[in-house]
Structure formats: C-alpha cells, structure tokens
Amino acid sequence: MTQDGDEGKTVSFGGAQIDQAAAGDINNYYGEDKGRELNAAEKREIHLKVERLSAITNEALVEIRSRLKTLFNAGINELRLEQRDAVNKLLDAWNEVAELQHNRTQQSAELDENAGAMTKVVQQVTALSAQLKLSTAHEQQYLQQLAEVRHQAKQYQEQLTEAQRQAEQLRLAKPLRPLCQTCSTTTARLARSRRGLLLAAGIAVVAVLATAYFGYQAYTATNAAQAAEARLSVCEFDGKPYTVGSIVANDGAADLECVRPEKLALPYWQAVKPPPVKPKAQSRKRPRPTTPEPELPVINIQKELF
C-alpha cells in the first residue's frame, strides 16, 4: 500500500493501483460536512462485503478495514452518507477481482489434475499396446514353429511308411538260395527298419509335446493381454467386476452406475439419483360391526345342591 501526499491515496490490490473510489475522487469526501452517519442496515451491508472479501482472499478482516480507513479517514462505523456509495463500489470491485483470481486458480488446479489423469491413461494404453504387440509376436513365432514341426512330422511319417513297405516286401520275399550272406543281409535290413520305426515314433512324440507346449504359451500370453485390455472397460465393486453401464444397488446410499465419459478414460462409479417416491394413499378401513355375545343362562347352584 502506498500514499501520495495531497493529490490522493492509492491502495494496491490484486496487482493494480487503485487511486479512485468508484467514479469520484476520494478527496471529495474529506470535508467538514459529510452528511449524516450511516444507519445499522447500511453499516451491515458494508460489513458483509468486507467479510465476503476476507473469505475469498483469506485476508484478515483487520487488514481490509485498515485499508478502508486509510482511504476514507474513518472506520466503517464512522462513515457518513456521502461516503457510502464510494465504499460500496470499491468493495464490489475488490470482490469481483478476488473472485476472478480465485476462479482462475481453481481452473488451473483442475487443468493440472485432468492433465495428470490423462497422462496416466496414455501410459496405461501404451503399456497395453506393447503387451499386445509382444503377444502377437509370440503367437506368430509359435505358428511358425508349429508349421515346421508338422512338416518334419510329415517327413518322418513318409519315412516310416516307406520302412514299413520295405519290411513287408522283405517278409513276403522268398530267398533264391539259402546262403549265409543272404540271411545276414536280410537281418541287417530288418534291424535298420526297426530302428527307423523307433526313431519315427520318438520324433512323433517329441512333435506332439512341442506343439502342446507352444500352444499353452500362446494361450497364456493372449489371455494376459485380453485381461489387461478388459481392465479399461470394467469397474470393481466389493471385489467383483462390472461392465460399463452396470448399476449396483447400494444399501443405505444412492445407487452406483459404472460410466466412462471418454474412450481412453478409466471407468468409474457415479451416484444415480433415485426416482421420486410417490406417497402411497392410505386406505381407510371401515370398522367391522361387532356382534354381541350371547348371554349364558344363570344356574342357581345352591338350589340344585339342596
């Protein structure tokens, strides 16, 4: 706050120098005749504006009243009628500037919060995209290996068929002469055929095991990527997942609906206002007519006994 001699008084507020009270010069109100004193309602109006300014700017009431006293050479309870309009207009201007600064601060905080949330969503989407690409690469690698295994299995099957055909031909063939050389040759061929059969059977078993292993790996990677992608489209309540658009009844409070305002935003729960309940018309029950109970005959026990 600064003051400038006899030319007038300036008060800095909100980054601006205020040297005029509303539309008139403050010096015009420093004469001997200032009119009547303000009544209780007029003073209360000024006090309310000062309290409102203090609530917005978090400035002490004493400091605001001190600024007013510096400008008008009088406290609020000492102001005159000719100073009322200038004080009200000045307080209105201060309140307007304070509200603009307060709203600007709130908007800046909301923008920062939204930017942080959007950054998190983008990071999650990037991570899911990387997992999906990795899963796709694993799946392609598995398909390529599976094709190679099938091709080798086909070749081994062909070799096994050929070995079986040769073994059958050797079994049906009749020796031309019973020489030891012919017997040893046949025995060697049978041994080679048996070894080929065992080798083909072992390769077939290895191919089946490899196919099952790579199939399980691709299935696990695909399920992990699908589960990670599903987290962007479900809400959790009481440990259970719910899709977007689901409404959950909440005992003792408003119902909750799973919503997602944007495509890349995370879904969240939003309170659902219950429909107004119409009061039920109370049915008037007519009183049932009461039937008088029949009178029982009075028996003179003394007479019957004697």
Side-chain angles (χ1 to χ4, degrees), residues 108-129:
S108 177
E110 291 177 357
L111 289 175
D112 294 340
E113 184 178 358
N114 292 335
M118 185 60 67
T119 302
K120 291 182 180 178
V121 171
V122 171
Q123 291 176 354
Q124 292 179 356
V125 172
T126 303
L128 290 175
S129 178

Side-chain angles (χ1 to χ4, degrees), residues 6-271:
D6 297 334
E7 296 181 356
K9 300 185 178 182
T10 61
V11 177
S12 60
F13 180 78
Q17 296 289 335
I18 301 175
D19 56 2
Q20 298 289 331
D25 187 3
I26 298 176
N27 293 329
N28 295 334
Y29 301 103
Y30 289 96
E32 294 294 336
D33 185 11
K34 299 180 182 179
R36 65 169 176 84
E37 291 185 357
L38 301 182
N39 55 34
E42 294 169 342
K43 292 178 182 179
R44 178 171 177 78
E45 181 182 3
I46 295 175
H47 279 296
L48 290 176
K49 291 181 179 180
V50 171
E51 292 175 358
R52 178 185 174 191
L53 180 61
S54 176
I56 296 174
T57 61
N58 293 327
E59 186 179 1
L61 294 173
V62 178
E63 296 180 0
I64 300 175
R65 291 168 182 167
S66 176
R67 289 209 308 268
L68 290 175
K69 188 172 182 179
T70 302
L71 287 172
F72 295 96
N73 284 338
I76 296 177
N77 295 328
E78 301 170 355
L79 292 174
R80 299 289 179 170
L81 178 63
E82 295 179 355
Q83 297 172 319
R84 179 192 61 187
D85 294 339
V87 173
N88 285 327
K89 291 181 179 179
L90 182 61
L91 288 174
D92 290 339
W94 285 357
N95 279 316
E96 184 177 358
V97 172
E99 287 181 354
L100 290 175
Q101 292 179 348
H102 181 68
N103 293 336
R104 184 185 304 169
T105 303
Q106 285 185 342
Q107 291 176 358
S108 177
E110 291 177 357
L111 289 175
D112 294 340
E113 184 178 358
N114 292 335
M118 185 60 67
T119 302
K120 291 182 180 178
V121 171
V122 171
Q123 291 176 354
Q124 292 179 356
V125 172
T126 303
L128 290 175
S129 178
Q131 292 180 1
L132 185 59
K133 290 181 179 179
L134 182 61
S135 176
T136 303
H138 288 168
E139 184 177 2
Q140 292 179 354
Q141 184 178 3
Y142 159 73
L143 293 176
Q144 183 178 1
Q145 293 176 354
L146 181 61
E148 294 178 357
V149 170
R150 288 179 177 175
H151 179 69
Q152 292 178 359
K154 183 178 179 181
Q155 291 181 347
Y156 295 148
Q157 184 65 32
E158 292 177 354
Q159 294 176 3
L160 179 61
T161 303
E162 180 64 20
Q164 290 176 349
R165 186 183 64 81
Q166 293 178 2
E168 184 67 18
Q169 289 180 355
L170 290 174
R171 188 180 63 83
L172 297 177
K174 294 181 180 181
L176 297 178
R177 50 183 179 177
L179 297 177
C180 294
Q181 183 179 2
T182 304
C183 294
S184 61
T185 302
T186 303
T187 303
R189 289 181 179 178
L190 288 174
R192 285 196 300 269
S193 299
R194 188 179 297 109
R195 286 195 298 270
L197 289 173
L198 293 176
L199 178 61
I203 292 174
V205 171
V206 172
V208 171
L209 293 177
T211 302
Y213 172 76
F214 288 117
Y216 175 76
Q217 292 294 330
Y219 175 76
T220 303
T222 304
N223 286 344
Q226 292 177 354
E229 186 176 3
R231 285 196 295 269
L232 290 178
S233 60
V234 297
C235 301
E236 289 189 1
F237 183 82
D238 197 13
K240 299 178 181 179
Y242 294 87
T243 58
V244 176
S246 301
I247 298 177
V248 177
N250 193 6
D251 295 338
D255 296 344
L256 301 177
E257 181 182 2
C258 181
V259 297
R260 183 174 62 185
E262 298 180 2
K263 185 175 182 181
L264 295 179
L266 293 174
Y268 59 91
W269 290 108
Q270 183 178 10

